Amino acid sequence: MRFSLASAVVLLLDLGVSVQGIPKMKRASSSFAGSNLYFLHGLSASDQSYYINQLANDGAKVIRIWVNGLSKGCVKGSNVVDDISEFETTIGDYNYDTLAKLDAVLAQTSAKGIKAIISPHDGNDIHDSSTSGNGCDIYCSTYGTSFYSSSQAKTQYDARIAAILNYQSPSSGKKWGQWSDAILAFDLENEPFQFTDDGANDDPSDWLCGRAQNFKSVLGSSSVKVATGGIGGDHSHGYNMLPAALNCSSIDLMSIHSYVGDASSWSGILSGDEKVAAAANKLIYVEEWGVSTSYNSDFNDQAAAINSAGYPWIYWQFIPGDDGTESCNSGCCTGYDGFEIGFNSSKGDIRTAIAKANSATTIQNWNIL
């Protein structure tokens, strides 16, 4: 087939290649939006069903869940009815009932066409609770901030990851690492290096790529992806796009965690990150963002800014209960942090924001759902 110069330029632009100063075009691809909900597996069966059905009805394609323990009571305006053990209360001794609870959630979300990103551990839990504001889990009490540099801790964490990826789903009969119909990706961890200097030193212990290589060795030929999980926590800390991760071939997705007061901030954040991600052949997405009631820009404006920039996103967090601005109808109205949005809240138009995300043309080729 013969190509004219004009048709060749059009083809290159469609592929996202700059041609002699001509800017890259956004390309039509499969964008998405969804929500984090780290306590979904602790809700009642009726609340789980309501939440998942509502997400599906609003067009959500992705949900982010965590392998974590929970205690009964009010969490972010919703009622956790089950005490769920941490996956490890003794290192190497796995509480598989925790995964069974999550598996029941995955069965429901996958049936509705929603894929999960799973965070297998919370990096905030490896620090003393007085420092991080979170709990102190078994890795915290054993290693503290040496978790990332200890060779023994790396070996033990790699074993944890293998146990999670090799867990055979009671719902599907597949190992989680092979259950691509239900699982889009696994984070390395939620917010690694949040309270350490590893980010500032560009991961001197090779924790990120070493763990990603372990993920890939267990995943094999699976299409399930490996994501960073928001290196260093909030984007303002400067480590979401850490070179050690960008240069690691075993990492597929670079996760942005960013909480900004003004919608105008998003264009600069995303355009800057896209340049370095594209150069490293990585996809980027906004894995956590949230709008406090004290921010200058509300949810609708910030969602519009992210959608206009052309990046998939997962909000922190849509909740099944009331969000604190609503009259309490669920019998559980405590524990808010100001970022939650209930489905019937006036804080934001969830359905419209998701619909615009799903129809957005993206900067990168996100055809992996």
Side-chain angles (χ1 to χ4, degrees), residues 278-328:
N281 197 31
K282 308 293 186 193
L283 293 173
I284 64 171
Y285 66 106
V286 184
E287 187 178 69
E288 282 190 26
W289 68 284
V291 180
S292 170
T293 51
S294 64
Y295 284 2
N296 292 331
S297 299
D298 64 12
F299 169 83
N300 294 334
D301 287 342
Q302 295 212 27
I306 300 172
N307 288 337
S308 178
Y311 294 91
W313 53 263
I314 308 173
Y315 186 74
W316 186 274
Q317 53 191 334
F318 304 142
I319 60 171
D322 305 306
D323 66 19
T325 66
E326 304 170 89
S327 298
C328 183

Side-chain angles (χ1 to χ4, degrees), residues 147-229:
F147 170 76
Y148 296 110
S149 59
S150 166
S151 58
Q152 180 174 316
K154 292 176 184 177
T155 298
Q156 291 170 334
Y157 189 71
D158 285 349
R160 174 190 177 98
I161 296 310
I164 292 171
L165 297 184
N166 285 324
Y167 176 69
Q168 186 162 340
S169 163
S171 303
S172 69
K174 299 178 181 179
K175 293 180 179 179
W176 272 15
Q178 306 302 314
W179 196 10
S180 58
D181 290 341
I183 300 171
L184 172 63
F186 286 93
D187 287 332
L188 298 176
E189 184 183 42
N190 176 59
E191 298 188 341
F193 307 164
Q194 168 76 292
F195 296 98
T196 71
D197 59 4
D198 296 84
N201 294 321
D202 196 24
D203 190 13
S205 300
D206 194 35
W207 191 88
L208 296 168
C209 198
R211 308 296 65 72
Q213 289 167 350
N214 174 60
F215 268 92
K216 288 295 189 182
S217 70
V218 181
L219 288 170
S221 61
S222 173
S223 62
V224 173
K225 306 300 182 184
V226 176
T228 57

Side-chain angles (χ1 to χ4, degrees), residues 346-364:
S346 62
K347 286 179 68 177
D349 185 346
I350 295 173
R351 178 168 293 185
T352 296
I354 292 176
K356 289 183 177 179
N358 290 342
S359 63
T361 51
T362 56
I363 294 291
Q364 298 179 306

Side-chain angles (χ1 to χ4, degrees), residues 51-65:
Y51 184 77
I52 293 166
N53 284 333
Q54 190 64 54
L55 278 183
N57 290 340
D58 284 349
K61 296 180 182 179
V62 174
I63 188 168
R64 182 170 176 245
I65 57 178

